Amino acid sequence: MLCLSLSLSFSFENDHPSSKFSLSLNSKSLCLVYNSMATTNTDPEIITDKNEMRKWSRAMRSQGKTIGLVPTMGYLHEGHLSLIKESHNRTNLTVVSIYVNPGQFSPSEDLSTYPSDFHGDLLKLKSLPQRVDVVFHPYNLYDYNNNNNNKSVVIGNAIRKSENETVSSCVEETGAGHETWVRVERLEKGMCGKSRPVFFRGVATVVAKLFNIVEPDVAVFGKKDYQQLRVIQRMVRDLDFSIEVIGSEIMRDSDGLALSSRNVHLKPEEREKALSISRSLFWAKSAAQKGQINCKELRELVIKEINGAGGRIDYVEIVNQESLEAVDEIKSPVVICVAVWFGTVRLIDNMEINL
């Protein structure tokens, strides 16, 4: 404590963000108490148990705090960090979940090779100017400790592609006993749902589980996964979750490539060719703004550019932004959605058009 005579003028400057001052005044002196914290705790709390996660959330909500959830599968990049910043802008506290969901992968897909760097993810989160309060990092959200290895029961609930062929997820392949799935039946059918038939029921189910565990007020998803965003928003509406779902804009590298955790698997020459995706989307948007509203012509523009770069197209669709139904002419807000293979890497991207 530093006590100064009332007749004495003084100044004290300190730039440390955690410096705290308190003033006490009496008839004889002005007393200044300075407390400087040498370090600040920017480390997020790591919670792995779903019951502990729910307990934390309820404790915070009982204090009147609002909670934002940013669901991720890890291997964070600037796109993910932009979602976290959006959560910070809207809520008091932010939870980032890091969980690679086996329920959205079929056994033939890239679950085993999906990139992971949990330590690197924590370093990125700690570098943010605003603290992430909790990282929810469960080991297995489909582990019910029932030791049920009877695969035949679970496979019966897999999606049937034809009379003689069923498609199951990696969860069902393990025989974990999980047999309850959330389906958004119409919105999940087109685009990614055609080539990835278990994907959206797996996404909707794990997001519903995360919502029930974290109990957030706000959840933030990126618009790069456009169909996923609309599926989640419809699920929240239809099942009366009291959660606001925010769609955050696509983040791109300086050359236009949409940020994705899978980009790390692109070879240098494949990455260069993959720039044809964003390039064609921007061309199509420009053409629409100049009066080309025929969707067949716009699709052909995109397809020609990507094929010319050597991409293997899964789909190019122009759909209504809300219903995701294909349109022939642009008469209302639409989005051009693209999925393309370059080498062994499947990339998705999209471009909203609001005329």
Side-chain angles (χ1 to χ4, degrees):
M1 179 180 290
L2 177 64
C3 294
L4 305 169
S5 168
L6 281 174
S7 61
L8 190 65
S9 63
F10 67 96
S11 64
F12 192 91
E13 296 182 1
N14 183 43
D15 293 328
H16 197 288
S18 301
S19 299
K20 296 182 179 179
F21 299 90
S22 64
L23 294 171
S24 61
L25 177 66
N26 57 39
S27 59
K28 294 183 179 180
S29 64
L30 179 67
C31 296
L32 174 67
V33 178
Y34 168 62
N35 175 29
S36 178
M37 296 170 60
T39 60
T40 59
N41 180 21
T42 59
D43 292 5
E45 181 178 354
I46 300 173
I47 297 178
T48 59
D49 180 78
K50 58 187 177 183
N51 293 318
E52 289 300 314
M53 182 70 254
R54 188 180 289 113
K55 181 179 178 182
W56 180 93
S57 292
R58 292 180 177 178
M60 295 301 104
R61 291 171 69 88
S62 71
Q63 299 173 24
K65 304 292 187 182
T66 55
I67 299 171
L69 171 65
V70 180
T72 82
M73 295 208 300
Y75 212 75
L76 304 181
H77 50 66
E78 286 297 323
H80 296 112
L81 302 186
S82 72
L83 307 184
I84 295 167
K85 293 173 186 175
E86 186 68 29
S87 175
H88 282 145
N89 291 337
R90 294 173 179 269
T91 59
N92 302 125
L93 304 170
T94 293
V95 176
V96 175
S97 65
I98 296 178
Y99 179 66
V100 179
N101 171 37
Q104 68 195 57
F105 291 84
S106 71
S108 63
E109 292 178 326
D110 59 345
L111 174 62
S112 63
T113 60
Y114 195 87
S116 176
D117 181 10
F118 185 64
H119 177 68
D121 290 343
L122 291 180
L123 292 178
K124 291 173 184 175
L125 296 178
K126 289 165 64 174
S127 72
L128 291 172
Q130 286 182 272
R131 181 176 184 263
V132 169
D133 298 277
V134 169
V135 172
F136 180 45
H137 185 47
Y139 173 67
N140 184 1
L141 287 178
Y142 301 92
D143 182 6
Y144 307 112
N145 297 315
N146 57 6
N147 297 316
N148 182 2
N149 291 316
N150 185 358
K151 291 186 183 182
S152 62
V153 174
V154 184
I155 293 299
N157 293 292
I159 292 177
R160 185 171 296 277
K161 290 182 70 178
S162 65
E163 194 63 33
N164 299 315
E165 183 182 8
T166 51
V167 178
S168 61
S169 72
C170 292
V171 169
E172 291 154 321
E173 285 291 302
T174 65
H178 181 91
E179 52 184 313
T180 304
W181 300 96
V182 180
R183 301 287 302 274
V184 182
E185 294 186 354
R186 185 175 55 79
L187 289 183
E188 73 173 33
K189 286 183 178 178
M191 297 191 289
C192 285
K194 289 182 180 179
S195 59
R196 304 189 70 189
V198 304
F199 179 72
F200 286 116
R201 67 161 196 171
V203 168
T205 300
V206 80
V207 171
K209 289 167 77 71
L210 289 170
F211 285 174
N212 285 328
I213 294 167
V214 180
E215 299 180 345
D217 300 278
V218 172
V220 187
F221 294 83
K223 283 188 177 181
K224 184 177 75 68
D225 300 279
Y226 203 90
Q227 189 176 9
Q228 172 180 281
L229 171 65
R230 294 309 189 204
V231 165
I232 297 304
Q233 288 175 327
R234 189 62 50 86
M235 178 190 75
V236 165
R237 186 200 72 175
D238 291 354
L239 299 184
D240 291 311
F241 282 98
S242 182
I243 299 170
E244 181 182 8
V245 177
I246 304 298
S248 191
E249 298 299 325
I250 296 174
M251 293 290 290
R252 300 182 182 276
D253 276 331
S254 59
D255 57 12
L257 186 67
L259 296 183
S260 170
S261 299
R262 288 185 170 92
N263 289 354
V264 69
H265 292 314
L266 289 169
K267 297 175 182 178
E269 62 274 17
E270 292 170 345
R271 192 190 185 288
E272 184 66 27
K273 293 177 180 178
L275 298 180
S276 62
I277 301 174
S278 59
R279 185 165 59 243
S280 65
L281 289 173
F282 279 109
W283 286 353
K285 181 175 182 178
S286 177
Q289 290 171 335
K290 293 176 181 177
Q292 176 57 274
I293 62 171
N294 185 296
C295 293
K296 180 180 179 181
E297 297 292 332
L298 294 173
R299 286 184 68 250
E300 288 179 354
L301 185 157
V302 174
I303 291 170
K304 180 179 179 181
E305 177 64 15
I306 294 173
N307 280 339
R312 180 162 53 92
I313 294 175
D314 185 350
Y315 64 81
V316 175
E317 299 287 351
I318 303 178
V319 298
N320 179 277
Q321 290 183 14
E322 296 296 328
S323 69
L324 302 186
E325 293 179 353
V327 298
D328 295 323
E329 288 189 345
I330 301 177
K331 298 178 180 180
S332 60
V334 300
V335 56
I336 309 177
C337 296
V338 175
V340 182
W341 291 86
F342 282 96
T344 60
V345 183
R346 183 178 182 272
L347 301 175
I348 61 174
D349 201 349
N350 66 79
M351 185 69 64
E352 289 181 321
I353 300 177
N354 301 292
L355 297 182

PDB file of all heavy atoms in Angstrom, residues 226-251:
ATOM      1  N   TYR A 226     -22.800 -26.476 -45.842  1.00  0.00           N
ATOM      2  CA  TYR A 226     -24.082 -25.779 -45.949  1.00  0.00           C
ATOM      3  C   TYR A 226     -25.269 -26.701 -45.682  1.00  0.00           C
ATOM      4  O   TYR A 226     -26.184 -26.359 -44.923  1.00  0.00           O
ATOM      5  CB  TYR A 226     -24.217 -25.161 -47.344  1.00  0.00           C
ATOM      6  CG  TYR A 226     -25.188 -24.000 -47.392  1.00  0.00           C
ATOM      7  CD1 TYR A 226     -24.750 -22.702 -47.159  1.00  0.00           C
ATOM      8  CD2 TYR A 226     -26.537 -24.190 -47.667  1.00  0.00           C
ATOM      9  CE1 TYR A 226     -25.635 -21.627 -47.192  1.00  0.00           C
ATOM     10  CE2 TYR A 226     -27.423 -23.126 -47.704  1.00  0.00           C
ATOM     11  CZ  TYR A 226     -26.959 -21.852 -47.462  1.00  0.00           C
ATOM     12  OH  TYR A 226     -27.838 -20.785 -47.482  1.00  0.00           O
ATOM     13  N   GLN A 227     -25.242 -27.867 -46.266  1.00  0.00           N
ATOM     14  CA  GLN A 227     -26.338 -28.808 -46.052  1.00  0.00           C
ATOM     15  C   GLN A 227     -26.399 -29.228 -44.594  1.00  0.00           C
ATOM     16  O   GLN A 227     -27.484 -29.346 -44.008  1.00  0.00           O
ATOM     17  CB  GLN A 227     -26.177 -30.027 -46.968  1.00  0.00           C
ATOM     18  CG  GLN A 227     -27.372 -30.964 -46.968  1.00  0.00           C
ATOM     19  CD  GLN A 227     -27.194 -32.094 -47.975  1.00  0.00           C
ATOM     20  OE1 GLN A 227     -26.126 -32.283 -48.553  1.00  0.00           O
ATOM     21  NE2 GLN A 227     -28.261 -32.863 -48.194  1.00  0.00           N
ATOM     22  N   GLN A 228     -25.248 -29.429 -43.979  1.00  0.00           N
ATOM     23  CA  GLN A 228     -25.191 -29.770 -42.568  1.00  0.00           C
ATOM     24  C   GLN A 228     -25.833 -28.674 -41.718  1.00  0.00           C
ATOM     25  O   GLN A 228     -26.605 -28.956 -40.788  1.00  0.00           O
ATOM     26  CB  GLN A 228     -23.740 -29.978 -42.136  1.00  0.00           C
ATOM     27  CG  GLN A 228     -23.552 -30.141 -40.639  1.00  0.00           C
ATOM     28  CD  GLN A 228     -22.092 -30.337 -40.283  1.00  0.00           C
ATOM     29  OE1 GLN A 228     -21.569 -31.437 -40.428  1.00  0.00           O
ATOM     30  NE2 GLN A 228     -21.425 -29.283 -39.824  1.00  0.00           N
ATOM     31  N   LEU A 229     -25.507 -27.424 -42.013  1.00  0.00           N
ATOM     32  CA  LEU A 229     -26.087 -26.303 -41.267  1.00  0.00           C
ATOM     33  C   LEU A 229     -27.605 -26.323 -41.352  1.00  0.00           C
ATOM     34  O   LEU A 229     -28.297 -26.177 -40.330  1.00  0.00           O
ATOM     35  CB  LEU A 229     -25.543 -24.980 -41.812  1.00  0.00           C
ATOM     36  CG  LEU A 229     -26.209 -23.707 -41.285  1.00  0.00           C
ATOM     37  CD1 LEU A 229     -25.954 -23.532 -39.798  1.00  0.00           C
ATOM     38  CD2 LEU A 229     -25.715 -22.482 -42.065  1.00  0.00           C
ATOM     39  N   ARG A 230     -28.148 -26.499 -42.548  1.00  0.00           N
ATOM     40  CA  ARG A 230     -29.597 -26.507 -42.698  1.00  0.00           C
ATOM     41  C   ARG A 230     -30.236 -27.721 -42.022  1.00  0.00           C
ATOM     42  O   ARG A 230     -31.337 -27.623 -41.459  1.00  0.00           O
ATOM     43  CB  ARG A 230     -29.973 -26.476 -44.184  1.00  0.00           C
ATOM     44  CG  ARG A 230     -29.590 -25.194 -44.900  1.00  0.00           C
ATOM     45  CD  ARG A 230     -30.076 -23.954 -44.177  1.00  0.00           C
ATOM     46  NE  ARG A 230     -29.884 -22.741 -44.961  1.00  0.00           N
ATOM     47  CZ  ARG A 230     -29.781 -21.529 -44.434  1.00  0.00           C
ATOM     48  NH1 ARG A 230     -29.854 -21.377 -43.113  1.00  0.00           N
ATOM     49  NH2 ARG A 230     -29.615 -20.481 -45.211  1.00  0.00           N
ATOM     50  N   VAL A 231     -29.566 -28.862 -42.056  1.00  0.00           N
ATOM     51  CA  VAL A 231     -30.070 -30.046 -41.360  1.00  0.00           C
ATOM     52  C   VAL A 231     -30.157 -29.780 -39.858  1.00  0.00           C
ATOM     53  O   VAL A 231     -31.170 -30.091 -39.212  1.00  0.00           O
ATOM     54  CB  VAL A 231     -29.170 -31.263 -41.653  1.00  0.00           C
ATOM     55  CG1 VAL A 231     -29.440 -32.402 -40.659  1.00  0.00           C
ATOM     56  CG2 VAL A 231     -29.401 -31.764 -43.075  1.00  0.00           C
ATOM     57  N   ILE A 232     -29.113 -29.194 -39.282  1.00  0.00           N
ATOM     58  CA  ILE A 232     -29.106 -28.909 -37.847  1.00  0.00           C
ATOM     59  C   ILE A 232     -30.168 -27.874 -37.495  1.00  0.00           C
ATOM     60  O   ILE A 232     -30.891 -28.019 -36.489  1.00  0.00           O
ATOM     61  CB  ILE A 232     -27.714 -28.422 -37.400  1.00  0.00           C
ATOM     62  CG1 ILE A 232     -26.666 -29.517 -37.626  1.00  0.00           C
ATOM     63  CG2 ILE A 232     -27.738 -27.992 -35.935  1.00  0.00           C
ATOM     64  CD1 ILE A 232     -26.962 -30.833 -36.963  1.00  0.00           C
ATOM     65  N   GLN A 233     -30.284 -26.828 -38.296  1.00  0.00           N
ATOM     66  CA  GLN A 233     -31.306 -25.818 -38.019  1.00  0.00           C
ATOM     67  C   GLN A 233     -32.708 -26.417 -38.073  1.00  0.00           C
ATOM     68  O   GLN A 233     -33.563 -26.075 -37.246  1.00  0.00           O
ATOM     69  CB  GLN A 233     -31.176 -24.664 -39.016  1.00  0.00           C
ATOM     70  CG  GLN A 233     -29.951 -23.787 -38.767  1.00  0.00           C
ATOM     71  CD  GLN A 233     -29.771 -22.721 -39.820  1.00  0.00           C
ATOM     72  OE1 GLN A 233     -30.106 -22.917 -40.990  1.00  0.00           O
ATOM     73  NE2 GLN A 233     -29.224 -21.582 -39.426  1.00  0.00           N
ATOM     74  N   ARG A 234     -32.958 -27.319 -39.023  1.00  0.00           N
ATOM     75  CA  ARG A 234     -34.273 -27.946 -39.116  1.00  0.00           C
ATOM     76  C   ARG A 234     -34.519 -28.876 -37.930  1.00  0.00           C
ATOM     77  O   ARG A 234     -35.632 -28.937 -37.395  1.00  0.00           O
ATOM     78  CB  ARG A 234     -34.393 -28.709 -40.441  1.00  0.00           C
ATOM     79  CG  ARG A 234     -35.794 -29.218 -40.742  1.00  0.00           C
ATOM     80  CD  ARG A 234     -36.814 -28.080 -40.875  1.00  0.00           C
ATOM     81  NE  ARG A 234     -36.369 -27.036 -41.779  1.00  0.00           N
ATOM     82  CZ  ARG A 234     -36.546 -27.066 -43.099  1.00  0.00           C
ATOM     83  NH1 ARG A 234     -37.151 -28.097 -43.665  1.00  0.00           N
ATOM     84  NH2 ARG A 234     -36.128 -26.068 -43.844  1.00  0.00           N
ATOM     85  N   MET A 235     -33.504 -29.618 -37.514  1.00  0.00           N
ATOM     86  CA  MET A 235     -33.642 -30.482 -36.354  1.00  0.00           C
ATOM     87  C   MET A 235     -33.983 -29.672 -35.111  1.00  0.00           C
ATOM     88  O   MET A 235     -34.872 -30.049 -34.323  1.00  0.00           O
ATOM     89  CB  MET A 235     -32.343 -31.263 -36.126  1.00  0.00           C
ATOM     90  CG  MET A 235     -32.374 -32.163 -34.891  1.00  0.00           C
ATOM     91  SD  MET A 235     -30.765 -32.855 -34.459  1.00  0.00           S
ATOM     92  CE  MET A 235     -29.946 -31.412 -33.724  1.00  0.00           C
ATOM     93  N   VAL A 236     -33.297 -28.560 -34.928  1.00  0.00           N
ATOM     94  CA  VAL A 236     -33.541 -27.703 -33.760  1.00  0.00           C
ATOM     95  C   VAL A 236     -34.970 -27.166 -33.790  1.00  0.00           C
ATOM     96  O   VAL A 236     -35.657 -27.127 -32.761  1.00  0.00           O
ATOM     97  CB  VAL A 236     -32.507 -26.556 -33.725  1.00  0.00           C
ATOM     98  CG1 VAL A 236     -32.935 -25.449 -32.768  1.00  0.00           C
ATOM     99  CG2 VAL A 236     -31.142 -27.098 -33.321  1.00  0.00           C
ATOM    100  N   ARG A 237     -35.425 -26.757 -34.970  1.00  0.00           N
ATOM    101  CA  ARG A 237     -36.795 -26.259 -35.099  1.00  0.00           C
ATOM    102  C   ARG A 237     -37.816 -27.351 -34.810  1.00  0.00           C
ATOM    103  O   ARG A 237     -38.752 -27.166 -34.023  1.00  0.00           O
ATOM    104  CB  ARG A 237     -37.017 -25.711 -36.507  1.00  0.00           C
ATOM    105  CG  ARG A 237     -38.375 -25.034 -36.701  1.00  0.00           C
ATOM    106  CD  ARG A 237     -38.754 -24.945 -38.168  1.00  0.00           C
ATOM    107  NE  ARG A 237     -39.130 -26.255 -38.727  1.00  0.00           N
ATOM    108  CZ  ARG A 237     -39.591 -26.418 -39.966  1.00  0.00           C
ATOM    109  NH1 ARG A 237     -39.672 -25.380 -40.784  1.00  0.00           N
ATOM    110  NH2 ARG A 237     -39.918 -27.624 -40.400  1.00  0.00           N
ATOM    111  N   ASP A 238     -37.631 -28.508 -35.451  1.00  0.00           N
ATOM    112  CA  ASP A 238     -38.633 -29.557 -35.373  1.00  0.00           C
ATOM    113  C   ASP A 238     -38.696 -30.218 -33.996  1.00  0.00           C
ATOM    114  O   ASP A 238     -39.763 -30.691 -33.586  1.00  0.00           O
ATOM    115  CB  ASP A 238     -38.361 -30.622 -36.436  1.00  0.00           C
ATOM    116  CG  ASP A 238     -38.620 -30.115 -37.849  1.00  0.00           C
ATOM    117  OD1 ASP A 238     -39.112 -28.978 -37.998  1.00  0.00           O
ATOM    118  OD2 ASP A 238     -38.321 -30.855 -38.809  1.00  0.00           O
ATOM    119  N   LEU A 239     -37.572 -30.296 -33.291  1.00  0.00           N
ATOM    120  CA  LEU A 239     -37.538 -30.962 -31.988  1.00  0.00           C
ATOM    121  C   LEU A 239     -37.560 -29.975 -30.828  1.00  0.00           C
ATOM    122  O   LEU A 239     -37.394 -30.377 -29.673  1.00  0.00           O
ATOM    123  CB  LEU A 239     -36.301 -31.867 -31.886  1.00  0.00           C
ATOM    124  CG  LEU A 239     -36.237 -33.002 -32.914  1.00  0.00           C
ATOM    125  CD1 LEU A 239     -35.024 -33.890 -32.649  1.00  0.00           C
ATOM    126  CD2 LEU A 239     -37.511 -33.836 -32.899  1.00  0.00           C
ATOM    127  N   ASP A 240     -37.766 -28.693 -31.125  1.00  0.00           N
ATOM    128  CA  ASP A 240     -37.939 -27.666 -30.090  1.00  0.00           C
ATOM    129  C   ASP A 240     -36.753 -27.549 -29.142  1.00  0.00           C
ATOM    130  O   ASP A 240     -36.919 -27.348 -27.937  1.00  0.00           O
ATOM    131  CB  ASP A 240     -39.227 -27.913 -29.294  1.00  0.00           C
ATOM    132  CG  ASP A 240     -40.474 -27.668 -30.129  1.00  0.00           C
ATOM    133  OD1 ASP A 240     -40.557 -26.614 -30.777  1.00  0.00           O
ATOM    134  OD2 ASP A 240     -41.365 -28.543 -30.142  1.00  0.00           O
ATOM    135  N   PHE A 241     -35.541 -27.675 -29.674  1.00  0.00           N
ATOM    136  CA  PHE A 241     -34.375 -27.322 -28.880  1.00  0.00           C
ATOM    137  C   PHE A 241     -34.388 -25.812 -28.658  1.00  0.00           C
ATOM    138  O   PHE A 241     -34.612 -25.035 -29.596  1.00  0.00           O
ATOM    139  CB  PHE A 241     -33.082 -27.695 -29.613  1.00  0.00           C
ATOM    140  CG  PHE A 241     -32.726 -29.152 -29.556  1.00  0.00           C
ATOM    141  CD1 PHE A 241     -33.046 -29.995 -30.606  1.00  0.00           C
ATOM    142  CD2 PHE A 241     -32.060 -29.673 -28.467  1.00  0.00           C
ATOM    143  CE1 PHE A 241     -32.710 -31.342 -30.570  1.00  0.00           C
ATOM    144  CE2 PHE A 241     -31.711 -31.009 -28.417  1.00  0.00           C
ATOM    145  CZ  PHE A 241     -32.040 -31.845 -29.469  1.00  0.00           C
ATOM    146  N   SER A 242     -34.143 -25.397 -27.428  1.00  0.00           N
ATOM    147  CA  SER A 242     -34.106 -23.962 -27.118  1.00  0.00           C
ATOM    148  C   SER A 242     -32.692 -23.433 -27.346  1.00  0.00           C
ATOM    149  O   SER A 242     -31.994 -23.006 -26.426  1.00  0.00           O
ATOM    150  CB  SER A 242     -34.535 -23.721 -25.665  1.00  0.00           C
ATOM    151  OG  SER A 242     -34.548 -22.332 -25.382  1.00  0.00           O
ATOM    152  N   ILE A 243     -32.262 -23.508 -28.594  1.00  0.00           N
ATOM    153  CA  ILE A 243     -30.888 -23.148 -28.963  1.00  0.00           C
ATOM    154  C   ILE A 243     -30.935 -22.338 -30.249  1.00  0.00           C
ATOM    155  O   ILE A 243     -31.644 -22.692 -31.194  1.00  0.00           O
ATOM    156  CB  ILE A 243     -30.029 -24.420 -29.184  1.00  0.00           C
ATOM    157  CG1 ILE A 243     -29.955 -25.246 -27.902  1.00  0.00           C
ATOM    158  CG2 ILE A 243     -28.627 -24.057 -29.670  1.00  0.00           C
ATOM    159  CD1 ILE A 243     -29.349 -26.615 -28.102  1.00  0.00           C
ATOM    160  N   GLU A 244     -30.180 -21.256 -30.288  1.00  0.00           N
ATOM    161  CA  GLU A 244     -30.043 -20.473 -31.512  1.00  0.00           C
ATOM    162  C   GLU A 244     -28.857 -21.013 -32.302  1.00  0.00           C
ATOM    163  O   GLU A 244     -27.734 -21.053 -31.798  1.00  0.00           O
ATOM    164  CB  GLU A 244     -29.818 -18.995 -31.187  1.00  0.00           C
ATOM    165  CG  GLU A 244     -29.702 -18.116 -32.424  1.00  0.00           C
ATOM    166  CD  GLU A 244     -29.430 -16.659 -32.109  1.00  0.00           C
ATOM    167  OE1 GLU A 244     -29.173 -16.338 -30.922  1.00  0.00           O
ATOM    168  OE2 GLU A 244     -29.446 -15.840 -33.049  1.00  0.00           O
ATOM    169  N   VAL A 245     -29.109 -21.436 -33.523  1.00  0.00           N
ATOM    170  CA  VAL A 245     -28.056 -21.984 -34.381  1.00  0.00           C
ATOM    171  C   VAL A 245     -27.607 -20.899 -35.356  1.00  0.00           C
ATOM    172  O   VAL A 245     -28.403 -20.385 -36.140  1.00  0.00           O
ATOM    173  CB  VAL A 245     -28.535 -23.229 -35.144  1.00  0.00           C
ATOM    174  CG1 VAL A 245     -27.439 -23.733 -36.085  1.00  0.00           C
ATOM    175  CG2 VAL A 245     -28.943 -24.325 -34.166  1.00  0.00           C
ATOM    176  N   ILE A 246     -26.328 -20.556 -35.288  1.00  0.00           N
ATOM    177  CA  ILE A 246     -25.747 -19.486 -36.095  1.00  0.00           C
ATOM    178  C   ILE A 246     -24.913 -20.104 -37.215  1.00  0.00           C
ATOM    179  O   ILE A 246     -24.100 -21.005 -36.984  1.00  0.00           O
ATOM    180  CB  ILE A 246     -24.849 -18.570 -35.244  1.00  0.00           C
ATOM    181  CG1 ILE A 246     -25.638 -17.997 -34.060  1.00  0.00           C
ATOM    182  CG2 ILE A 246     -24.237 -17.457 -36.087  1.00  0.00           C
ATOM    183  CD1 ILE A 246     -26.807 -17.146 -34.444  1.00  0.00           C
ATOM    184  N   GLY A 247     -25.096 -19.608 -38.427  1.00  0.00           N
ATOM    185  CA  GLY A 247     -24.246 -19.993 -39.548  1.00  0.00           C
ATOM    186  C   GLY A 247     -23.205 -18.923 -39.798  1.00  0.00           C
ATOM    187  O   GLY A 247     -23.549 -17.773 -40.075  1.00  0.00           O
ATOM    188  N   SER A 248     -21.938 -19.281 -39.687  1.00  0.00           N
ATOM    189  CA  SER A 248     -20.847 -18.314 -39.843  1.00  0.00           C
ATOM    190  C   SER A 248     -20.228 -18.447 -41.234  1.00  0.00           C
ATOM    191  O   SER A 248     -20.139 -19.538 -41.792  1.00  0.00           O
ATOM    192  CB  SER A 248     -19.776 -18.566 -38.773  1.00  0.00           C
ATOM    193  OG  SER A 248     -18.840 -17.520 -38.718  1.00  0.00           O
ATOM    194  N   GLU A 249     -19.791 -17.328 -41.783  1.00  0.00           N
ATOM    195  CA  GLU A 249     -19.332 -17.285 -43.171  1.00  0.00           C
ATOM    196  C   GLU A 249     -18.087 -18.155 -43.399  1.00  0.00           C
ATOM    197  O   GLU A 249     -17.294 -18.387 -42.486  1.00  0.00           O
ATOM    198  CB  GLU A 249     -19.016 -15.850 -43.588  1.00  0.00           C
ATOM    199  CG  GLU A 249     -20.219 -14.915 -43.551  1.00  0.00           C
ATOM    200  CD  GLU A 249     -21.327 -15.350 -44.476  1.00  0.00           C
ATOM    201  OE1 GLU A 249     -21.013 -15.885 -45.570  1.00  0.00           O
ATOM    202  OE2 GLU A 249     -22.510 -15.167 -44.124  1.00  0.00           O
ATOM    203  N   ILE A 250     -17.927 -18.611 -44.623  1.00  0.00           N
ATOM    204  CA  ILE A 250     -16.784 -19.443 -45.008  1.00  0.00           C
ATOM    205  C   ILE A 250     -15.485 -18.644 -44.894  1.00  0.00           C
ATOM    206  O   ILE A 250     -15.412 -17.492 -45.311  1.00  0.00           O
ATOM    207  CB  ILE A 250     -16.949 -19.951 -46.450  1.00  0.00           C
ATOM    208  CG1 ILE A 250     -18.173 -20.860 -46.556  1.00  0.00           C
ATOM    209  CG2 ILE A 250     -15.695 -20.679 -46.937  1.00  0.00           C
ATOM    210  CD1 ILE A 250     -18.505 -21.283 -47.974  1.00  0.00           C
ATOM    211  N   MET A 251     -14.488 -19.257 -44.326  1.00  0.00           N
ATOM    212  CA  MET A 251     -13.147 -18.677 -44.275  1.00  0.00           C
ATOM    213  C   MET A 251     -12.308 -19.312 -45.383  1.00  0.00           C
ATOM    214  O   MET A 251     -12.342 -20.528 -45.575  1.00  0.00           O
ATOM    215  CB  MET A 251     -12.496 -18.931 -42.916  1.00  0.00           C
ATOM    216  CG  MET A 251     -13.177 -18.208 -41.765  1.00  0.00           C
ATOM    217  SD  MET A 251     -12.911 -16.413 -41.829  1.00  0.00           S
ATOM    218  CE  MET A 251     -11.177 -16.326 -41.414  1.00  0.00           C
TER     219      MET A 251
END
